[in-house]
Structures are given as structure tokens and as C-alpha cells.
Amino acid sequence: NAGVTQTPKFQVLKTGQSMTLQCAQDMNHEYMSWYRQDPGMGLRLIHYSVGAGITDQGEVPNGYNVSRSTTEDFPLRLLSAAPSQTSVYFCASSYDPYSTSQGPYLTQYFGPGTRLLVL
Amino acid sequence: QQPVQSPQAVILREGEDAVINCSSSKALYSVHWYRQKHGEAPVFLMILLKGGEQKGHEKISASFNEKKQQSSLYLTASQLSYSGTYFCGTDYGDEGGKLIFGQGTELSVKP
């Protein structure tokens, strides 16, 4: 049971380049989220998904796209990278809060993170 | 809206106590607490649900005041292993699956 995995671990991009940050989980969690972490700003929610085919915006969605075609995968796309997107990105998954057989409500299981540097 | 944590940073000696507060401008359904060690991912500590009791785990406990829309994390007789950044995450109950985190409180425990 690998939990939540993210690739790559580290990436350097030039301004204007595009890339996809991969996130996968093998815990059969319905809910998945993307956060970015910047010094002094905490963890800010970018996009989240409550199930395959359903996504919604978080606090800072601009410049990022997501899709959720399977329960396991939730990739984050940067269409045209900007220096302001330099950050550490965390993917997280959690149980469906309405499924009473599973753990605490909305407990987030985080991946190891991806460090992104945009030059 | 992002919840507000205070203090932003705290330095303790081993054995001292600390309190970290988390305040929201919006009514809360649940409050989550996480700890992050340097260079690692955040790890879940505990959750407090609206109408629930104060939670605790060994010497770390938390309370949830629904009327004041705030939660407090209590660290008693701190240990070196308590060092890290603590985040509160808030769920307002109106948008399923969405957890909003505060800016974090950096806790350093010195020998």
C-alpha cells in the first residue's frame, strides 16, 4: 500500500513552459486535493475533487487545471508556468465523509510533495 | 476564507507548555490539526467536530469553541519531537471535500 504518490519530486521549468504534476493514491479515497505551500502562507487549496469526473476550484485556482478521470489519479496541469508558481505542491486524499465505514471525516493523507522552480 | 493562526512562531524549552490558536471569520463544522516536520508532508494529529468533545492524544489536546469560531491546540510538557509547523484546517460544512488551512505556527522546542 503506497498511499499517496507524487511525481516528479523536483522540477525546474522556464517561464511559459507547461507541465503536469502527477498524483496517485491506492487507498480508494473518493476525495483528492492539490495544495501549494509557500513561506508564511501556509497550505493553500488549488483544486479539489469529490470523485471521478467531479472537480472544483479552491482558493488559488488561477493558472492551474485539473481533471479526474479515475478514482486513483488526480493530475495538476500548469499550462504556462510563471515564476509566481514556484512552490512546493502537495497532493492529498481523504475518505468520503458520508461513508461511515471509513476513518475520520476529511482526514487528509498527503503525498511527499513536488518542489517546482520556475525561472 | 483562510483561518488565522496565532502565534506565528513560538520557542519553548523542553517541558514547557504551549497553546496555538486558530480563528475563523465563518462558522465552522470541523477543525483539523496537522503537524509538518521540515522537508516532510503534513501529518494528521486530530479532528474536532461541531458538537464534539475535546480531543486529546497523550500530551497534545485540542478544544473547539463553536460560538467563538475558534480552536486551540494545547501542547503539554513539550518534547523535542514536538518541533515543527502546526496547521489548523477548517471545514465550513457547506462545500464537501474542501479543507482550508491556516498559515501555520512554527514551534521550536530546545533542550
Side-chain angles (χ1 to χ4, degrees), chain A residues 54-103:
Chain A
I54 306 170
T55 63
D56 207 343
Q57 296 181 350
E59 303 169 272
V60 288
N62 293 340
Y64 307 94
N65 279 355
V66 292
S67 60
R68 183 102 179 267
S69 55
T70 67
T71 299
E72 294 78 21
D73 300 298
F74 191 40
L76 178 72
R77 296 183 189 85
L78 284 72
L79 298 178
S80 179
S84 61
Q85 293 179 304
T86 293
S87 187
V88 179
Y89 291 85
F90 287 102
C91 177
S93 71
S94 62
Y95 294 117
D96 177 349
Y98 300 105
S99 173
T100 56
S101 64
Q102 296 175 323

Side-chain angles (χ1 to χ4, degrees), chain B residues 1-3 23-29 64 66 68-70 90-95 98:
Chain B
Q1 294 96 325
Q2 194 176 30
S23 296
S24 171
S25 58
K26 195 174 167 183
L28 296 167
Y29 180 78
F64 181 15
E66 295 169 32
K68 292 186 177 180
Q69 296 168 184
Q70 66 184 115
T90 52
D91 158 44
Y92 304 111
D94 53 359
E95 292 178 274
K98 190 174 179 179

Side-chain angles (χ1 to χ4, degrees), chain B residues 86-103:
Chain B
Y86 289 78
F87 293 97
C88 67
T90 52
D91 158 44
Y92 304 111
D94 53 359
E95 292 178 274
K98 190 174 179 179
L99 195 65
I100 304 296
F101 286 93
Q103 80 276 24

Side-chain angles (χ1 to χ4, degrees), chain B residues 26-65:
Chain B
K26 195 174 167 183
L28 296 167
Y29 180 78
S30 70
V31 178
H32 301 227
W33 287 96
Y34 289 75
R35 178 169 63 203
Q36 183 181 32
K37 300 281 188 177
H38 183 69
E40 298 179 4
V43 174
F44 173 76
L45 289 175
M46 64 187 75
I47 177 176
L48 298 101
L49 295 173
K50 184 177 179 179
E53 300 174 352
Q54 179 166 337
K55 295 282 189 177
H57 176 67
E58 295 183 349
K59 295 178 181 176
I60 299 177
S61 62
S63 62
F64 181 15
N65 187 321

